[in-house]
Amino acid sequence: MSALDPDPGPPPVGGEAAEVLVTIERFLADQQPGEASGTLTRLLEDIALAGKLIASRTRRAGLTELLGKAGVVNVQGEDQKLLDVYADEVMTSLLGGHGRVCAIVSEEQAEVRVLDPDAPYVVVHDPMDGSSNIDANVSIGTIFGVFRREDPTAEPVQTDWLRPGRDLVAAGYVLYGTSTMLVYSVGQGVHAFTLDPEVGEFLGTWTDLRFPDDAAYYSLNFASLPHWDSGMTRFVEWLNRDDTPTLSQRYIGSAVADFHRNLLHGGVYGYPGEIDRPEGKLRLVYEGAPLAFLAAQAGGRGSDGARDLLDITPTDLHERTPVFLGNADLVDQLERCFADGE
Ligand code: P6P
């Protein structure tokens, strides 16, 4: 492709190189079904703009005191970082006021916030996943999911946002790493765009990303091994057998970054439940379900160790769940190990 400098190089094993230089706005418009109103397209464009704004701050975090803590403890009991606060405010202000988003659920807000009561969509998001890594300059990311309300004329009710991930109409993430990438799906495959900071556009990079059949990595925090259920130890033993795939262990401490690398190279990420914390750490609504939606769109799966994450209906905005995401065969094997043996 002569138009790009430097050439983006070959696509990942499980993807296609974008054929032409295309912005995410143009790609969304071209992908939009003929009968669509364009509302979801413009909502996703708002998220892309939020990603640009957050990326610009993330790039300069070390220079503008955005590193470090906001001096507030959030609903999760975690120290809010200034970038958490900024990312949450940017997403909320860009998504509200256009008659597109009825309500927004955020990791950083104890309660759901109603934006435009008679709007058709609900957004769930983790504005800055992995924020404990900000000071260490490790990749972090924004995770989002979009539901379409069954009756936009009705009063907003919690069944508008406490829904199984299978009801999502879109999901994705913005990864603030060595480059800023927006990866999303509207149910027609997974597509990746790279932010060109000089142009200020997310440019098409890869389309139809799928987990490669031959996985390369598994992502587990082995510091927690003594606290894991026996099913996890059986899975680790399976991983280390001579007759099973040889995978390398890579764990960044930022689920979006681990997920992204495993999507490109094949693998499985896990944050298991523990004996004294069987619900695990990650949140179902705005972490597990949106990433499971993407995994399924890329030929993989998301599971809590027994059930597909997309089939779990949350009962609380911030409920936690064990999360396993990646190649379907690896997630299937993990479930077999949890179900007492292979
Ligand atoms: P630990 C980040 O806080 C996060 O929610 C995920 O992005 C990440 O994979 C995990 O927690 C890291 O948690 O306990 O391994 O440091």
Side-chain angles (χ1 to χ4, degrees):
M1 181 185 299
S2 59
L4 285 182
D5 175 22
D7 185 303
V13 169
E16 303 292 331
E19 282 309 304
V20 293
L21 204 56
V22 64
T23 64
I24 189 167
E25 290 81 4
R26 169 48 47 216
F27 187 87
L28 284 164
D30 290 348
Q31 223 196 27
Q32 172 183 295
E35 70 281 5
S37 68
T39 304
L40 179 59
T41 294
R42 281 187 286 279
L43 188 162
L44 293 171
E45 289 170 1
D46 292 338
I47 291 176
L49 177 55
K52 294 177 190 174
L53 292 168
I54 297 165
S56 71
R57 290 295 184 95
T58 305
R59 286 274 160 274
R60 292 180 285 118
L63 304 173
T64 54
E65 298 98 49
L66 277 178
L67 286 177
K69 298 173 181 174
V72 175
V73 175
N74 67 12
V75 66
Q76 319 294 339
E78 297 163 348
D79 287 329
Q80 262 189 340
K81 305 294 190 296
L82 290 172
L83 266 180
D84 284 321
V85 173
Y86 176 76
D88 185 52
E89 289 173 354
V90 164
M91 285 284 282
T92 305
S93 60
L94 286 181
L95 290 170
H98 304 288
R100 296 193 268 270
V101 178
C102 167
I104 188 165
V105 172
S106 169
E107 175 184 353
E108 299 305 327
Q109 300 294 333
E111 304 301 331
V112 63
R113 277 173 294 168
V114 174
L115 302 180
D116 303 316
D118 55 1
Y121 292 101
V122 166
V123 172
V124 297
H125 73 117
D126 179 357
M128 192 53 78
D129 176 66
S131 56
S132 58
N133 294 301
I134 292 172
D135 293 359
N137 203 13
V138 169
S139 298
I140 51 185
T142 301
I143 307 170
F144 63 89
V146 184
F147 291 106
R148 181 181 289 113
R149 296 174 72 208
E150 285 165 7
D151 180 2
T153 63
E155 277 298 303
V157 291
Q158 72 172 9
T159 47
D160 284 325
W161 45 84
L162 290 183
R163 299 173 68 173
R166 209 156 302 276
D167 287 356
L168 286 164
V169 295
Y173 54 82
V174 184
L175 178 63
Y176 312 102
T178 44
S179 65
T180 297
M181 290 199 85
L182 193 158
V183 178
Y184 84 94
S185 176
V186 290
Q188 299 167 20
V190 177
H191 311 297
F193 294 77
T194 305
L195 179 62
D196 181 331
E198 291 176 15
V199 176
E201 297 283 6
F202 277 107
L203 300 178
T205 309
W206 303 306
T207 56
D208 298 311
L209 283 171
R210 296 182 67 81
F211 289 95
D213 293 337
D214 295 330
Y217 301 112
Y218 66 94
S219 307
L220 297 167
N221 181 349
F222 277 90
S224 304
L225 181 66
H227 309 292
W228 287 343
D229 176 282
S230 56
M232 272 309 297
T233 46
R234 268 196 295 277
F235 182 61
V236 171
E237 286 160 5
W238 179 85
L239 285 170
N240 291 303
R241 278 176 15 190
D242 294 336
D243 61 342
T244 57
T246 302
L247 307 182
S248 295
Q249 149 79 356
R250 291 282 191 287
Y251 188 79
I252 297 172
S254 190
V256 179
D258 281 316
F259 181 92
H260 186 73
R261 184 205 52 248
N262 294 347
L263 173 61
L264 300 185
H265 302 290
V268 60
Y269 163 90
Y271 203 102
E274 299 172 2
I275 293 162
D276 57 354
R277 189 172 66 164
E279 71 280 5
K281 177 183 181 183
L282 270 65
R283 277 63 52 146
L284 173 61
V285 170
Y286 39 78
E287 292 174 321
L291 291 177
F293 179 91
L294 285 174
Q297 283 292 315
R301 279 195 61 205
S303 172
D304 70 350
R307 300 169 295 173
D308 195 305
L309 287 172
L310 294 178
D311 294 330
I312 304 173
T313 300
T315 54
D316 178 80
L317 291 183
H318 303 290
E319 76 181 57
R320 298 175 190 266
T321 176
V323 170
F324 303 97
L325 298 156
N327 284 59
D329 60 334
L330 292 174
V331 175
D332 291 347
Q333 175 60 45
L334 184 136
E335 288 183 340
R336 284 192 290 270
C337 291
F338 271 99
D340 295 325
E342 303 165 36

